[in-house]
Amino acid sequence: MKKVVKFGGSSLADAEQFRKAAGIIRADKSRIFVVPSAPGRRFDGDTKVTDLLYKMDEIAEKGEKIDDILGKIRARYTEIAEGLGIKDPSTGKPFSLDDEFEKIRVKMTTEPERDYAASRGEYLNSLIMARYLGFEFIDAREVIFFDENGVLDSEKTNDVLGDRLKNAKNAVLPGFYGCGSDGRVKTFSRGGSDITGSIMARAARADVYENWTDVSGFMVADPRVVEEPESIDTITYRELRELSYMGASVLHEEAIFPVRHEGIPINIRNTNRPDDDGTWIVESTCQKPKFVITGIAGKKDFCSVIINKALMNSEIGFCRKVLQAFEESGISIEHMPSGIDTMTVVVHESEFLDKEQHVVSAIHRLADPDTIDIEADLALIAIVGRGMKSMRGTAGRIFAALAHARVNVRMIDQGSSELNIIVGVENKDFETAIRAIYDIFVTTQI
Ligand code: ASP
């Protein structure tokens, strides 16, 4: 049995959290590969080390002095290293990151680089973790590669990292970064250590990818909207993809792809409650979900562009021309429910507002519609669940619950996989709608 364990920033925010994480690793001999994040927030209002590093880069790019901010960053690591009482095995002296901080100072004062700066958060935390556990340290820059377009080169990474891990008894690999095609450090998007963990699990052919964070897995609904929602025991990759796309954020959206490739399950666990089972994310399962729906997630601030044209259905190429208008303006499309003489294109308000009139005139030029209506302040809510398939009455229950809560439904879209139903409501009804759907499927079933 081989496990890859990734710890999030809050799980490694200070010496006490570090000790918990190390205790978890030591408690199970199969936890041999470790991916740390950078130290996160220790309390409300605290600043994550990654944010301090971005700030340091901004200051350095302006040619101003970085001593103060670098001192603050250094203090975070000193607290951890000293708090853990780590000694240098050869000298017996306290473990020191002096040389590392000097390298960072020189680099940032001579040729500052944003990604390099940000990556130091996980790099330094991993040096400490490796030393504390007595594990091998592998620099992610040597084993994770991006191509010329800045996209992860999955196969090269898998080959190189796979080879390296074959001979490793154990190892610590920093999350969040790798090597760009120009040889410089390149980071993933924020929260990207989740992706590193997944890449490592694939390369190591691990049995499980454990992702340790500060919550006991996924909840059926966002706890900021529904009070103490039920947790999800098991969720499939596809369900999770739908939910995370719609805003459920525990795991980075892209983190499922490397492990999905190998069918490796992900187990989301809570560092502060290690006895909780957490949520299992799996390829497929015959385990019945607790409720008909697995989860509800949603996002606010969409616009719908409604294009009307009589006999649209018999005009070949009409939809393509409309979509071309959005493509020309560089706007990505979220949903496209259609009627007989209308098609609706749902887009992000923030992306669309500036280009609104440009898109409207492009649609007129390319597709010659009768009219175009635009509506803003739309919220989309995805109701996701493998249990909905072939289950009669699910949609009926959703709409009855919404009607009962006096929420007007402005749009409906059911995926053909029967895995999700998306409803559009007004922004102001967003929370009420989620609570109503949660109640009908969960509260009334407990
Ligand atoms: N430290 C990085 C961030 O704050 C990456 C991560 O934690 O996954 O986004």
Side-chain angles (χ1 to χ4, degrees), residues 305 307 312 317-328 333 336 343-345 359 362-363 366-369:
V305 184
I307 302 113
M312 158 193 302
F318 184 83
C319 293
R320 180 182 52 75
K321 291 174 199 158
V322 170
L323 295 183
Q324 191 181 333
F326 287 89
E327 188 181 347
E328 279 178 8
I333 283 163
M336 239 179 41
M343 73 181 270
T344 304
V345 179
V359 175
I363 299 174
L366 293 161
D368 191 27

Side-chain angles (χ1 to χ4, degrees), residues 11-160:
S11 303
L12 302 172
D14 56 21
E16 195 192 329
Q17 289 299 89
F18 241 85
R19 225 175 260 121
K20 285 187 200 166
I24 289 167
I25 297 165
R26 291 186 184 122
D28 179 345
K29 291 268 167 293
S30 58
R31 293 182 177 133
I32 52 175
F33 295 131
V34 183
V35 175
S37 279
R41 287 191 196 94
R42 294 158 293 182
F43 43 82
D44 276 355
D46 194 17
T47 310
K48 290 179 174 189
V49 164
T50 308
D51 290 318
L52 293 173
L53 290 161
Y54 279 125
K55 187 90 202 136
M56 173 180 75
D57 176 65
E58 271 171 37
I59 297 171
E61 305 268 356
K62 283 193 236 151
E64 292 170 10
K65 283 207 171 321
I66 57 166
D67 304 79
D68 281 358
I69 188 122
L70 193 58
K72 270 193 198 156
I73 296 164
R74 192 179 183 141
R76 294 288 306 262
Y77 289 100
T78 308
E79 186 273 330
I80 296 172
E82 284 181 1
L84 295 174
I86 311 176
K87 298 255 179 329
D88 197 318
S90 49
T91 61
K93 287 197 183 136
F95 173 63
S96 152
L97 288 168
D98 288 355
D99 293 350
E100 296 296 338
F101 274 99
E102 182 52 18
K103 275 189 226 159
I104 296 171
R105 197 191 60 74
V106 170
K107 166 88 179 137
M108 293 307 291
T109 40
T110 51
E111 38 166 357
E113 261 174 49
R114 190 174 151 80
D115 279 13
Y116 165 83
S119 72
R120 296 304 88 184
E122 332 326 83
Y123 173 81
L124 296 168
N125 237 13
S126 299
L127 286 177
I128 297 181
M129 183 60 104
R131 185 58 68 86
Y132 189 47
L133 295 171
F135 280 19
E136 179 185 343
F137 170 82
I138 300 178
D139 191 348
R141 193 176 181 174
E142 294 166 13
V143 290
I144 291 185
F145 302 96
F146 294 88
D147 65 18
E148 314 71 58
N149 302 317
V151 177
L152 173 73
D153 186 337
S154 317
E155 295 321 305
K156 181 176 175 190
T157 299
N158 196 47
D159 289 348
V160 175

Side-chain angles (χ1 to χ4, degrees), residues 6-9 36-39 48-51 54 118 121-122 175-176 188-195 252:
K6 180 256 166 181
F7 287 87
S37 279
K48 290 179 174 189
V49 164
T50 308
D51 290 318
Y54 279 125
E122 332 326 83
F176 192 38
F188 291 103
S189 55
R190 295 298 304 262
S193 302
D194 285 340
I195 311 175
H252 191 292

